[in-house]
Structure formats: structure tokens, C-alpha cells
Amino acid sequence: LQTARKDVKGGKRTIEAAMPATAEQPAKKQKLAFELPAINSDFDTFLKAQLEASPADAKDTEEFKYLTFTALPPFTDGHKSLMRKTMTKELFDKLKDVTSSKGYTLSNGMQAGVLRPHLGVGFTCGDEECFELFKDVINPIVQGWHQFDPSTQTHESDLDFDKLVFTEEDAVLFGKYVKSTRIRAARNISGFSLPAGSSKEDRLAVEEVLKAAFGMLPDNLQGTYFPLG
């Protein structure tokens, strides 16, 4: 078992082995600790050094730590993401010190694709500013994943349900093959961090916005709100 701790003098995080509980030291409720994945020996050495050198991040928790990459990671053949294909040394050097007003960095965005080689996208946005600040990385990724170029195309939505066509033949097939279905609408709230860059305070603030919105629903849609935390 390993745990991460903060070096008070240097402001850096190091890895130390957790000592097992003894009779003199009763066992405490075990917390999940952040652990680096095992990828290959050379890459693991790089990640460990980067973790140890990374300054504390305000978004850190006991379970997750944000790394600050001082150099372009030496990607392995196993790294398959579009981020890895897009990220050149020149692009990394250009953007490595860029930070959004909410504290999200290039390293924060890259971390998923660096630590999880199998991912297809490999980059996360921490807030809405990221789409502009890191567009040189994000736009090629979006184009590769969705065949949509944000730099030249405009996304258009049409939510007019009167334009939907559902013929009698469609209804017969629907009744024959479909047992249940659902519609999922996921939206972000402007002004708050996205999940990858969200702090506990951000999440609580989003909850308050949603609770206020639920309170404005018409009577036939009113219900009981149960917090998850």
C-alpha cells in the first residue's frame, strides 16, 4: 500500500509506504490513496519523478493527485489517444505554462491520456476557457473523434420536436423490438468548472443551482430531492 504526502518544506509530494496498524496504533478507517499505474519501467520512472516534483494542486484529493509535467512525456507504443498523436514537443512547450482563470493547466488536461494509455481521446477540459486556451490541442482531437472541425464549422441544434417523423411502420418496429428507452440530456453550467477541474466547492455550488432549478418545476413535475453526498 502506498500513500501520497506533502513535503512541508519543499511543497512537493513524495511517495511513502504506509505502515500497517499495530496493537499500540489501532487501525483507522482506510482511505483510498493515489497510485500511479504500472505501464513500463522507463515510463513508470518518468511518472514517479514527475509526481514527486509536482507542486500541490488546489484540486488534489486523497484519492487523486494532479501532475505537472515538466517535459513532454516519453509516450510508449501503447499510448493510443488522439492527444498523444496531436501533442508535439513544440505544442507542449508553447502551452505548458498556460493556465485558465480557474487553475486548469495543459498538464491537467493531458493527465488522463498519459496515465491511461488505452484511452481514445486522452484529454479533458477543466472549464469552458480551456476550449479556447488549448484549442491547438482540442480542435484536432474533436475533428479526429467526431469528424467535426470547430475551427471551420458551426454546430447547429434543432430541438423542435414537431419536425420528428415517426411513421406507423416505425411504430410497429418500435413495439416489436424496443422494451424500454431513455433520453439523456447532459449539460454544463456556465461559470463553474467541468468535472475534470471541479473542486468540492464547485460541486456544492452546482448542486445549489440545480436545487433552485428543481424548485421552479411545475407542480406535476415536483418531487423530493435527495443529495448524494
Side-chain angles (χ1 to χ4, degrees), residues 26 29 39-40 53 75 83 90 94 118 120 178 197 201 206 225:
K29 185 177 180 181
I39 298 174
N40 72 31
F75 293 111
M83 179 278 294
E90 292 74 22
K94 174 185 175 182
H118 69 281
V178 179
E201 292 72 24
V206 168
Y225 175 78

Side-chain angles (χ1 to χ4, degrees), residues 113-206:
V114 174
L115 270 57
R116 299 288 180 256
H118 69 281
L119 293 179
V121 174
F123 195 90
T124 59
C125 290
D127 53 58
E128 56 196 292
E129 288 180 28
C130 291
F131 291 95
E132 179 62 28
L133 294 176
F134 305 120
K135 63 183 179 182
D136 291 343
V137 179
I138 295 169
N139 286 359
I141 292 174
V142 172
Q143 187 170 10
W145 193 258
H146 295 289
Q147 289 72 58
F148 174 86
D149 185 359
S151 63
T152 60
Q153 295 176 272
T154 301
H155 179 72
E156 297 180 1
S157 296
D158 187 350
L159 302 180
D160 183 358
F161 60 85
D162 289 327
K163 295 180 181 178
L164 296 176
V165 177
F166 194 67
T167 66
E168 291 184 6
E169 291 79 8
D170 292 334
V172 171
L173 292 174
F174 190 88
K176 182 178 180 180
Y177 295 108
V178 179
K179 294 297 183 184
S180 66
T181 187
R182 69 172 183 167
I183 297 174
R184 178 179 180 268
R187 292 293 181 268
N188 301 305
I189 302 174
S190 181
F192 294 98
S193 294
L194 302 174
S198 184
S199 65
K200 180 178 180 180
E201 292 72 24
D202 263 323
R203 293 191 291 271
L204 291 173
V206 168

Side-chain angles (χ1 to χ4, degrees), residues 12-229:
K12 298 178 181 178
R13 282 146 321 149
T14 58
I15 302 297
E16 62 177 8
M19 297 298 294
T22 63
E24 293 78 19
Q25 182 182 6
K28 297 181 180 179
K29 185 177 180 181
Q30 189 174 17
K31 292 183 178 180
L32 295 174
F34 177 71
E35 293 185 353
L36 292 169
I39 298 174
N40 72 31
S41 58
D42 291 340
F43 199 79
D44 295 349
T45 299
F46 168 81
L47 287 181
K48 182 179 179 181
Q50 294 292 293
L51 177 62
E52 292 176 349
S54 293
D57 191 299
K59 302 182 293 295
D60 285 346
T61 67
E62 288 295 328
E63 296 83 13
F64 191 84
K65 306 297 180 186
Y66 287 86
L67 279 68
T68 298
F69 300 111
T70 57
L72 180 68
F75 293 111
T76 69
D77 292 340
H79 284 86
K80 305 297 185 182
S81 72
L82 289 169
M83 179 278 294
R84 183 258 187 274
K85 295 175 182 177
T86 301
M87 188 64 65
T88 63
K89 182 181 184 302
E90 292 74 22
L91 194 53
F92 177 85
D93 290 341
K94 174 185 175 182
L95 298 174
K96 66 180 181 179
D97 296 321
V98 175
T99 306
S100 75
S101 62
K102 288 186 174 294
Y104 207 76
T105 67
L106 179 71
S107 290
N108 293 164
M110 293 173 56
Q111 183 162 332
V114 174
L115 270 57
R116 299 288 180 256
H118 69 281
L119 293 179
V121 174
F123 195 90
T124 59
C125 290
D127 53 58
E128 56 196 292
E129 288 180 28
C130 291
F131 291 95
E132 179 62 28
L133 294 176
F134 305 120
K135 63 183 179 182
D136 291 343
V137 179
I138 295 169
N139 286 359
I141 292 174
V142 172
Q143 187 170 10
W145 193 258
H146 295 289
Q147 289 72 58
F148 174 86
D149 185 359
S151 63
T152 60
Q153 295 176 272
T154 301
H155 179 72
E156 297 180 1
S157 296
D158 187 350
L159 302 180
D160 183 358
F161 60 85
D162 289 327
K163 295 180 181 178
L164 296 176
V165 177
F166 194 67
T167 66
E168 291 184 6
E169 291 79 8
D170 292 334
V172 171
L173 292 174
F174 190 88
K176 182 178 180 180
Y177 295 108
V178 179
K179 294 297 183 184
S180 66
T181 187
R182 69 172 183 167
I183 297 174
R184 178 179 180 268
R187 292 293 181 268
N188 301 305
I189 302 174
S190 181
F192 294 98
S193 294
L194 302 174
S198 184
S199 65
K200 180 178 180 180
E201 292 72 24
D202 263 323
R203 293 191 291 271
L204 291 173
V206 168
E207 182 185 31
E208 291 303 313
V209 171
L210 294 177
K211 285 165 63 177
F214 297 151
M216 293 186 287
L217 292 172
D219 290 342
N220 64 322
L221 295 178
Q222 286 289 340
T224 302
Y225 175 78
F226 295 97
L228 298 178

